Amino acid sequence: MSFGISAKTRKLLKQHNIVLKKSLGQNFLTDAHVLQHIVDAADLDEESGVIEIGPGLGALTEGLAKQARKVVAIELDNRLIPVLQDMFADQPNVEIIHADALKFDFAQLITEKFGACSQVHVVANLPYYVTSPILVKLLESSLSLTNIVVMIQKEVADRILAKPGSKTYGSLSVFAQYFSEPSKVVQVPSHVFVPRPQVDSMVIKLSIRTVAPVPVENESFFFQVVRASFAKRRKTLLNSLSSSLPFHMEKTRLEQVIHSIGIDPNCRGEMLSMNSFAQLSNVLLRERDGG
Ligand code: SAM
């Protein structure tokens, strides 16, 4: 089966005289099982709307269109647009948009195109170079999404899924886990792509939270404190915060404040749970604002 898709991909590329661009992260998925795994993980039904980022030659789009009410696929490479339009010409529930997902207004798209859908999902086999900026953009812009199912580099997936105390736990873990509940769907070997990428991949699902998991008084300040806590990973929490907080605070006062909420100032940032980060940022916010 995977052989069939691989042959189809090569045939389409040849037919349209398309040479794949490494700079656009064009590694096309050719395994029917993995494609189906991705579609199934999104939990689509006949009322679902799907935003697909980077449809490539439509391998994933096809499966999504069978299960969803509407699929809007956003592709940056203009050479692929006529191929995709031709491919889905007789499927009115698929719309192809030529745009850069990094600059795209997803909120407007949801309002304009998915009014008739009860839930909206994002599904993508993301080019590696845009993974983090696209996920950050989707998560922090309060879009009314149900879930995001993405294939990304395994190394980034590990960071998103990481728990406190692990080496891969960092600001991306806290960020992703604050806005969603991430889970692993499947690990994907490099040989199922054309061409074969240099890194291993993983499909993860981010189930979007409707309520914040911890009480945070100021979200942007919370993420500044999280980033400052991980800024100097080899240093203690106190030293990392002391040199990276976005406002000045005497080190002795900072130490007292960290202590006052039951956190050891000499631990590393990677030991803090999301709840501890919330407490820390709330108390530091009061210090900053002179309360
Ligand atoms: N979905 C296809 C698959 O699974 O085989 C292709 C995936 S390939 C890894 C990534 C696709 O994203 C390519 O088609 C590439 O042209 C497109 N792409 C790259 N950067 C993009 C961007 N900023 N916005 C939209 N699409 C982009």
Side-chain angles (χ1 to χ4, degrees), residues 4 15 21 43 58 68 96 98 133 161 165 173 179 190 223-224 241 260:
Q15 199 179 326
K21 287 188 184 167
D43 277 330
I96 311 295
H98 178 216
L161 298 168
S173 328
F179 289 111
S190 61
F223 291 118
Q224 284 176 350
L241 282 174
S260 74

Side-chain angles (χ1 to χ4, degrees), residues 142-153:
S142 311
L143 300 167
S144 39
L145 297 173
T146 299
N147 56 40
I148 302 174
V149 177
V150 279
M151 164 112 67
I152 56 179
Q153 274 160 280

Side-chain angles (χ1 to χ4, degrees), residues 9 20-21 23-30 35 38 52-61 74-80 84 97 99-103 124-130 134 151 193-194:
T9 303
L20 293 180
K21 287 188 184 167
S23 62
L24 289 180
Q26 292 182 330
N27 302 97
F28 293 162
L29 188 52
T30 61
L35 286 163
I38 298 176
E52 187 191 356
I53 300 172
L57 288 171
L60 199 48
T61 323
I74 299 156
E75 173 57 58
L76 177 60
D77 189 343
N78 61 335
R79 301 169 308 163
L80 300 176
L84 287 162
I97 295 183
D100 182 346
L102 286 171
K103 299 180 188 153
N125 172 8
L126 282 181
Y128 297 140
Y129 78 105
V130 294
I134 287 202
M151 164 112 67
F193 295 91
V194 171

Side-chain angles (χ1 to χ4, degrees), residues 23 83 123 136 190 208 217:
S23 62
V83 185
V123 181
V136 167
S190 61
I208 306 300
E217 283 164 28

Side-chain angles (χ1 to χ4, degrees), residues 223-260:
F223 291 118
Q224 284 176 350
V225 170
V226 172
R227 278 194 296 272
S229 304
F230 287 108
K232 306 259 158 54
R233 283 194 79 107
R234 286 167 193 274
K235 294 197 176 177
T236 62
L237 176 67
L238 175 63
N239 285 338
S240 189
L241 282 174
S242 163
S243 57
S244 310
L245 269 181
F247 68 102
H248 177 70
M249 197 171 164
E250 289 302 331
K251 201 167 174 182
T252 46
R253 178 65 190 147
L254 180 59
E255 187 169 15
Q256 282 172 353
V257 169
I258 300 174
H259 245 310
S260 74

